[in-house]
Structures are given as structure tokens and as C-alpha cells.
Amino acid sequence: MARPRMSPVWLVLTGIASVQLGATISKGQFGEISPSGMVLLRLATSSLILLAIARPSPRGRSAADWRPVLTLGLTLGAMNWAFYESFARIPLGVAVTIEFIGPLTLAAVTGRRPRDLLWVGLAAAGVVLLGLAPGAGADALGFALALFAGACWALYILAAGATGRRWAGIDGLALASTIATLAVAPVAVASAGTTLLEPRLLVLGAAVGVLSSVVPYSLEMIALRTMPPRVFGILMSLEPAAAALAAALILQEWLTPVQLVAVACVSAASVGATRGSSAGEAAGEAVGEQP
């Protein structure tokens, strides 16, 4: 099998940058469209593209095959909805940092090393620092939504693994993404209404879908052909810092020194939990469709 021309490390880093660019574009439009509306446009775009690529055949599938797909779809919808609603209220870098607690905790508590719990403690310290930062209490709902999104991300990892064992390729993900789109649609239509039909926002929503889902998922799939999942997990630990940097440069959301220390704590904890952890490797393989 031919190796990708670009280093797998750069493929992953490009995917991370793409995700955060999509998030900043989304937040820049929240004055015109609700977060739920943008989530619908993102999910609808990624679903259509994934369905066109995979062309899954659901015929003849048992209830046991459909259960993980349904769980994955509902979790994916809830994860994206909660995440977008959270960073509509709090800085993007803070939201990503808090959300990262979900997969990090999963990797640590399902690991086989007692010291993995220390990484959870370090991550928890980071979240506490975020809570103590000046102005952090101004929007407790945004904080809570980010925590909920993190819990959904952990469940998504488990459901993605179960789906991958029963569905070939990206068939399960394509169907789950469609389920997520249908699940989010009622809330999005109620909050965004006819705004969803505005051509400019449709184009931006499609761009977000490509940047936040299609591009990173594709690059990560290619990278994981030659990159150890452990290394992939460590690179993914850069997400909080990447989100903070993107938000600062594009949205002018500059984090305070205390918030930056919190981001560093969570990123360091993620690296520690991932290195040499079998759970971290499993998480790394399943993180393709992140929020």
C-alpha cells in the first residue's frame, strides 16, 4: 500500500486546524443563525457526503446491528448540539478544553495502570482553574453544556467501536450521521426557522460541514493507516490549545493566564493518559467524528 505523500503527523495536524477553523466560522455566524441551526447545516452536509461515498446497504441487518448505530447517531447529535451551544456562551478554547475531559477520562479509567487516575486529577484541576477564572461564573450553562458534550464524546467513542465491529468501512458512520441530522432537525428548525434557507448561510454551513467533519475524518483515516494510534491520541491532545489559538487569532477571544494554564493542564493530562494506554489507543482510533 502506497504511503501518503504528506507525513501522517501533518495530516492529523491539518485535520485539527480544519476542525477549529470550522468552529470559528460557525461562531462568527451566531449573530445570524442559532447554534442549533449551524449544527443542522454541518451534520446535513457531512451526512450527504458520507452517504454518497459509502452508499451503505441497510437491508437484512439485525436489531443487534442497528443498536450501536442508533446509539452513535443520537450521541453524535447530542454531542454537536451541546458543544455548539456551549461555545456560543463561553470562549471556544474553554469549551474545547472542558469537553476534552470526556474522552480523556474514558482513556484513563478504562486503562490498566493505577497512575492513569492521576491524569484525570490533573485534568480535573484544569477544569477547576477554568471555573475559578475571572468571569467563569457568568455563564454556568455554557460550562455545563461543554461537560455534557464531553460525556457524549466518551459515549461516542464506545458506540463508534461497537459500530465499527458490525459495519464495514464508514457505512455505520454514514448512517449514524444521518440519524444525528434527523435528531437535531426539530430543535434547529424551531430555533433558526427560515434562516436555514438563506443561501449565504447554507454555503457557510456546508463549508463548516466539510471543514469540521469531512476533511478531518478523511485525513485521520489516511494517517491511521501508518501512524500508531498512541501517537494519534497524543497529537489529538493539542485540540484545546489549537482551539484557543484559532479563537484568539480569528475571533479575538484571548484567554487569561489562568485559563491558559488550565488548557495546558488538560492537554498534558491527555498526553499522559494516552501514552502507553491501551484505552488511549482505542480512543484514538475512534475519535474521527469529533465536534
Side-chain angles (χ1 to χ4, degrees):
M1 180 182 295
R3 290 177 177 267
R5 293 182 180 179
M6 184 182 293
S7 163
V9 171
W10 282 108
L11 289 174
V12 175
L13 293 177
T14 301
I16 291 173
S18 183
V19 168
Q20 301 311 328
L21 178 59
T24 56
I25 291 174
S26 295
K27 185 158 188 174
Q29 307 307 312
F30 285 169
E32 299 180 56
I33 186 172
S34 68
S36 298
M38 185 58 75
V39 169
L40 177 60
L41 294 178
R42 169 188 169 172
L43 288 175
T45 300
S46 60
S47 296
L48 290 173
I49 294 175
L50 289 172
L51 287 172
I53 295 173
R55 297 185 179 181
S57 177
R59 294 181 180 179
R61 291 286 183 170
S62 66
D65 290 332
W66 280 104
R67 276 194 290 271
V69 171
L70 182 61
T71 301
L72 183 63
L74 294 177
T75 303
L76 180 60
M79 176 175 67
N80 279 275
W81 170 81
F83 179 61
Y84 274 58
E85 290 288 350
S86 72
F87 75 75
R89 296 170 169 81
I90 60 179
L92 177 61
V94 172
V96 173
T97 301
I98 296 171
E99 184 201 30
F100 221 74
I101 295 298
L104 186 154
T105 302
L106 176 66
V109 301
T110 58
R112 298 178 180 178
R113 303 173 305 173
R115 68 175 179 271
D116 285 340
L117 295 179
L118 295 176
W119 301 120
V120 177
L122 179 59
V127 173
V128 170
L129 283 176
L130 289 175
L132 295 176
D139 203 316
L141 179 58
F143 201 96
L145 285 167
L147 283 174
F148 177 70
C152 288
W153 194 355
L155 180 58
Y156 167 86
I157 291 171
L158 297 174
T163 299
R165 288 188 289 271
R166 289 186 171 273
W167 297 79
I170 60 171
D171 288 11
L173 179 62
L175 293 170
S177 186
T178 303
I179 292 171
T181 302
L182 295 175
V184 168
V187 177
V189 171
S191 63
T194 57
T195 306
L196 291 167
L197 301 178
E198 292 188 13
R200 188 180 71 85
L201 292 176
L202 281 172
V203 171
L204 287 172
V208 169
V210 172
L211 289 169
S212 296
S213 295
V214 179
V215 169
Y217 180 76
S218 301
L219 294 179
E220 289 160 9
M221 288 289 288
I222 296 172
L224 281 168
R225 293 174 183 170
T226 55
M227 173 183 287
R230 177 182 59 83
V231 177
F232 175 78
I234 292 173
L235 289 174
M236 291 301 294
S237 303
L238 296 174
E239 285 277 5
L245 179 61
L249 295 178
I250 300 175
L251 300 174
Q252 301 302 302
E253 284 185 349
W254 299 95
L255 298 185
T256 66
V258 172
Q259 291 173 326
L260 290 174
V261 170
V263 169
C265 285
V266 173
S267 294
S270 183
V271 171
T274 302
R275 288 187 63 186
S277 170
S278 58
E281 292 189 358
E285 291 178 326
V287 157
E289 180 72 27
Q290 67 225 24

